[in-house]
Structures are given as C-alpha cells and as structure tokens.
Amino acid sequence: MLAAYAGYGLDGFDFMAYTFIIPTLITLWGMSKAEAGYIASAALVTSAIGGWGAGVLADRIGRVRVLQLTVLWFAAFTFLSGFTQSYGQLLFIRAMQGFGFGGEWTVGSVLVAETIEARHRGKAAGIVQSSWSVGWAAAALAFWAANLLLAADLSWRVILWAGILPALLIIYIRRNVSEPAVYREMRSRRMLQTASAAANSAKTASETAHFLSIFRPPLLRNTLLATSLATGMLAAYYSVTTWLPTFLETERHLSVTGRTGYLLMLIVGSLAGYLTSAWLADALGRRRNFMLFAACGAVLILIYTHMPVSGGMLLIGFPLGFFILGIFSGMGACFAELFPSPVRGSGQGFCYSMGRAIGAACPALIGAWSTHVSLGQSIGAITVGAYALVVVSAWALPETRGRVLGIEAGAAT
C-alpha cells in the first residue's frame, strides 16, 4: 500500500503540473486553448496504450517489476518536458510521458487489490487513490511558489523538472515489495500447465490466449460495462481538472494566489471524498457508491461553472472535489473483482485505459467548443453527459463487494 500510495501520488503531481502551466504557455508561446487541449489529450491517449500494455506485462512478468518501469518512464519524460522550446516539442514529450503514466495506476491497483482481503479491499484501494490529491496539492503549491520566486518563463520549467525527484524514493520502495501470493500461485500453476502441455506435445496455451479471453464470454459483458464506467468517470474528471485553472483565470479573473486558493479548496475536498468513498465502497457496495457520487458531481459542476465568485464559489469547491474525485475510490477494487487472476492486469488495464482514451477527447473538445460558447458552459455540459454514462454503466454492472480473489475467482463466479 505504501509503495502504491507513493507511486500514485507522484503520478498525480506529474500529470496535474501541466494543467497549472497552461495559462502561462498560452501567454508565452501564443498557444490556443485548442492546442493546449491537444497536448493534454495526446498524453491521455498514449497513457491508455501504456496502461493496457502494462496490464498485459504485469500478468506475464509480475506486478512489482512493471510498476518500477512505469514510474521511471513517466518521471523521466516529465523532467524532459521542462526543456521543450515549442508547442510541437511539448506535444511529443507529453505524449511519450503518457505511456508510463497510464501503466502506474493499472499495475498499482492490481497489486493492492490482490494483497488486501475482500472485506477491506475497497477501503485500501480508496486510500491509495487518495494519494492523487496529495500529488495534486503538491503541484498546486509548487506552481504557487515557483511563480512567486521565479520569472514566468522559468517557473513552469522548474515545476516540470521537479517531477523527477520523488522517483528515486519510489524505486527504492518498490524494490522491497514482494509479488502478491495470488499472483505467485497463478504463475506456479501456469508453469505447471505449460510443462504438462509440452510433455504431451499439445499446443501450449499462450499469454495471448489469456489476454483475448476478456473479449469472450463470460468476461465480455464485464469488459464492456467496466470500460463504459471508466469512460464516464475519466471524461468528467479530465473535463474539470484540465481546464479549471484556465477557467478561474480567464472567466473568473483570479490571480495566481487566488487560483491556488480555489484549487486547494477543491483538493482538500477531493481528499475527504477519496477517504469517505473508500469506506462507502465497502459499506454500500461498488455500484451504489458510483451512482451516488456521479449524480452529486453532475449537480455540483453545473452550480460551480455558473456561479459568480462572489456567490460562494470558493465554498462549493469543497463538495465538488469531494464527489468528482471521491468516485474513483471504488474503481480499483471493483475492476480487480471483475476478472480472474490470469487476466486481471490485462482486463483492468484495458477497461481503465480504453476509458481514458475515449475520455481523453474531452479536453480537446472543450478547448475547441469554448471558441463558440463560454469555457464554463463547455465544462459543465460535457461533465454532466459523462456522469450520466457512469450512472447507466454502474446500474448494469454486477455487484462485486466481498468477492474473494483467487485463481478461479472472476466475473463468472
């Protein structure tokens, strides 16, 4: 849990750092909002590929080993992005960073889910998920401090360069984490089956066959519904967090200090939401928790994007962050419970990553749409539509609370 918590927190810092520097780059480089959205979307698309690939690799060579590789990858490219000199260079480097960024969540969430017993899995996964708020807060404070102490053309680079520093600690921690017993047992069985098949001159079951089983009954229905659920949740999240700093500057006319205060209110609310949702995921069940948080998030984003600063907008930030981030607490546990051990990484990686790839279109769509309507209206409309998809998908999914993760456990059982 400590290793996954630290890794996901670093994930949050590196990814959210870009959202804070969008207004600066628009000013310095003359980027349009659409171009800024394309950079965010490019990183999310490649992160979908990386997340899927990391899940497949985690089933083949181990959760812990792949986790170390993903952390090294995205931290290194976050650091390199601080040296870019143009829109095209930043677009390429951020796209490359996405490959590692996408893999960390997939592998870390599988590792935690397979380590924690069923009755506490939702709470454990939610606690790990809450580290995103810590990373987000660190990015916000780094942005505030850098802008206070440095010139604008240097401050944004320093923020990105800082993304490499925590990786050293994460690598050390991960070298001291063992593979879960569930994974070790699965690997032992697979080796015995392969040896037996070879001895009988039979066709050996390949890793590709295991991977493709998520697209066949009885797992296909869960794959499609989990992908739809992830699409709605991530589309809503990216719609809000990518553009919120720009919204606060351009439409609410807040200074750097003012924006930081509003964002910190949202972040504090998100931390409370993660921890509360972690408990509710085990108490209410995965499905009810998803539907509750999606409905409340849809209402709050409409209020937030249409409310003037003087109307209590700062205070609304707390419940907004509570619901739009807290909804993710049950996802890692739920997705792990939908797939059996041999394809748990592959299935979880595909659903989350495909949802991310589809949801990645939203930042670019909002950037383009905001040339015709206000940025706040664009954010609100797309977020509400995304949460409607979450409610429908959660309602159709099976309830997995309390499911034991074993070699044969999965959607069919």
Side-chain angles (χ1 to χ4, degrees):
M1 281 187 64
L2 178 60
Y5 186 96
Y8 198 55
L10 174 61
D11 230 359
F13 178 92
D14 285 1
F15 179 78
M16 295 308 297
Y18 173 69
T19 70
F20 288 105
I21 66 174
I22 288 176
T24 301
L25 294 180
I26 288 176
T27 300
L28 293 177
W29 288 356
M31 285 197 318
S32 67
K33 291 178 182 178
E35 288 175 329
Y38 295 150
I39 291 177
S41 293
L44 295 175
V45 170
T46 55
S47 73
I49 301 171
W52 190 3
V56 175
L57 282 176
D59 287 337
R60 298 186 62 180
I61 67 175
R63 295 17 175 156
V64 177
R65 187 181 304 175
V66 177
L67 202 54
Q68 293 178 45
L69 294 174
T70 60
V71 170
L72 279 172
W73 183 280
F74 77 74
F77 277 99
T78 300
F79 175 70
L80 289 175
S81 64
F83 292 97
T84 56
Q85 301 292 328
S86 66
Y87 164 74
Q89 291 178 4
L90 185 59
L91 176 66
F92 174 76
I93 295 295
R94 292 296 291 184
M96 295 299 294
Q97 185 243 27
F99 286 110
F101 164 71
E104 202 284 335
W105 182 89
T106 297
V107 185
S109 61
V110 171
L111 177 63
V112 171
E114 290 183 337
T115 303
I116 305 299
E117 60 181 295
R119 65 196 179 102
H120 296 306
R121 190 175 300 121
K123 291 185 282 292
I127 289 171
V128 169
Q129 196 84 31
S130 72
S131 65
W132 184 271
S133 293
V134 178
W136 189 6
L141 292 174
F143 171 77
W144 171 77
N147 276 275
L148 187 66
L149 301 174
L150 302 170
D153 58 348
L154 179 61
S155 62
W156 71 271
R157 297 184 186 277
V158 171
I159 294 168
L160 296 177
W161 290 336
I164 193 68
L165 297 178
L168 299 175
L169 175 62
I170 306 307
I171 295 168
Y172 172 80
I173 293 175
R174 295 225 158 82
R175 285 176 176 169
N176 293 276
V177 177
S178 301
E179 295 289 351
V182 170
Y183 176 79
R184 295 198 302 270
E185 183 183 354
M186 180 269 291
R187 287 286 294 174
S188 296
R189 289 195 182 190
R190 181 178 290 169
M191 292 174 66
L192 289 173
Q193 291 169 354
T194 301
S196 176
N200 295 325
S201 298
K203 183 179 179 180
T204 302
S206 68
E207 300 296 335
T208 302
H210 285 301
F211 165 69
L212 291 177
S213 67
I214 68 173
F215 302 111
R216 295 194 293 262
L219 296 176
L220 177 60
R221 183 174 185 273
N222 284 348
T223 299
L224 294 176
L225 288 174
T227 299
S228 178
L229 182 77
T231 297
M233 291 168 64
L234 290 164
Y237 169 75
Y238 295 140
S239 295
V240 175
T241 56
T242 299
W243 286 110
L244 202 57
T246 306
F247 167 75
L248 293 174
E249 179 183 3
T250 61
E251 295 194 3
R252 293 298 179 262
H253 309 294
L254 296 174
S255 65
V256 170
T257 300
R259 296 198 303 273
T260 301
Y262 274 73
L263 290 169
L264 285 176
M265 179 65 78
L266 192 80
I267 294 167
V268 171
S270 72
L271 180 59
Y274 277 131
L275 299 177
T276 303
S277 180
W279 177 78
L280 288 175
D282 285 332
L284 294 179
R286 314 320 189 203
R287 296 167 63 246
R288 290 179 181 176
N289 196 46
F290 291 146
M291 290 188 282
L292 171 64
F293 274 68
C296 293
V299 172
L300 285 164
I301 190 60
L302 288 177
I303 295 174
Y304 194 83
T305 53
H306 290 79
M307 174 181 288
V309 171
S310 60
M313 184 179 163
L314 175 64
L315 298 178
I316 296 296
F318 183 91
L320 178 65
F322 185 97
F323 287 106
I324 65 170
L325 275 300
I327 194 172
F328 288 97
S329 281
M331 181 186 277
C334 177
F335 282 15
E337 292 157 351
L338 290 171
F339 298 97
S341 294
V343 293
R344 182 162 295 125
S346 304
Q348 192 159 340
F350 174 82
C351 295
Y352 187 84
S353 299
M354 185 56 66
R356 175 179 277 164
I358 300 172
C362 290
L365 179 60
I366 289 172
W369 195 10
S370 64
T371 61
H372 305 287
V373 299
S374 72
L375 184 58
Q377 289 175 322
S378 300
I379 295 171
I382 291 178
T383 302
V384 170
Y387 279 138
L389 180 61
V390 171
V391 172
V392 173
S393 303
W395 178 82
L397 272 170
E399 178 55 62
T400 60
R401 175 179 53 169
R403 182 168 290 175
V404 176
L405 299 186
I407 301 303
E408 305 301 330
T413 59

